[in-house]
Amino acid sequence: QARLVESGGGLVKAGESLRLSCAAAGVLSSRTQVAWHRQAPGKQRELVAVQDWGGFTDYADFVKGRFTISRDNAKGTIDLQMNSLEPEDTAVYYCYVKIFALNSKYDRVYWGQGTQVTVSS
């Protein structure tokens, strides 16, 4: 069973930066979509950034220009560089991997356990 492990969360002040990393050894391949989601207290989980195996990348409007998603298939890592953090970015951040099989009924999705990011004003 694949396992995703996030790291890099913590407490920072508004305007500062953090870099989250997700160890995804054994699941990154040529047909893999990776993403970061977040969930703030009392709110639904939402997509932050996504990247497919072709390099297409998309970001939620609320992080465009501030966050950058990247992946290293050789190292098996997925990173999220977060700059100019705001108190509204406070949430638990989750790593996500979807493996697209040739037959979609065999697609697989993996989630990490999450890492807390807290931004003080």
Side-chain angles (χ1 to χ4, degrees), residues 50-117:
V50 60
Q51 185 178 82
D52 70 16
W53 64 86
F56 172 79
T57 302
D58 199 15
Y59 298 90
D61 287 342
F62 50 78
V63 303
K64 280 183 179 177
R66 300 188 298 126
F67 291 12
T68 303
I69 188 172
S70 61
R71 62 192 286 176
D72 187 323
N73 286 355
K75 294 182 179 179
T77 57
I78 307 156
D79 290 347
L80 184 69
Q81 177 66 41
M82 306 186 295
N83 299 328
S84 302
L85 283 162
E86 304 168 350
E88 294 74 22
D89 295 317
T90 295
V92 177
Y93 284 72
Y94 297 90
C95 179
Y96 164 99
V97 172
K98 182 174 183 178
I99 301 174
F100 288 83
L102 293 178
N103 185 331
S104 62
K105 71 177 182 179
Y106 296 115
D107 290 350
R108 290 173 288 170
V109 172
Y110 301 95
W111 289 92
Q113 294 299 307
T115 185
Q116 177 70 46
V117 172

Side-chain angles (χ1 to χ4, degrees), residues 27-32 52-54 71 73:
V27 296
L28 294 186
S29 69
S30 59
R31 292 178 60 85
T32 306
D52 70 16
W53 64 86
R71 62 192 286 176
N73 286 355

Side-chain angles (χ1 to χ4, degrees), residues 2 4 10-12 16 18 28-29 34 36-37 45 51 82 91 95 98 111 119:
L4 306 182
L11 172 63
V12 296
E16 295 183 341
L18 274 178
L28 294 186
S29 69
V34 301
W36 286 91
H37 292 72
R45 191 172 297 190
Q51 185 178 82
M82 306 186 295
C95 179
K98 182 174 183 178
W111 289 92
V119 184

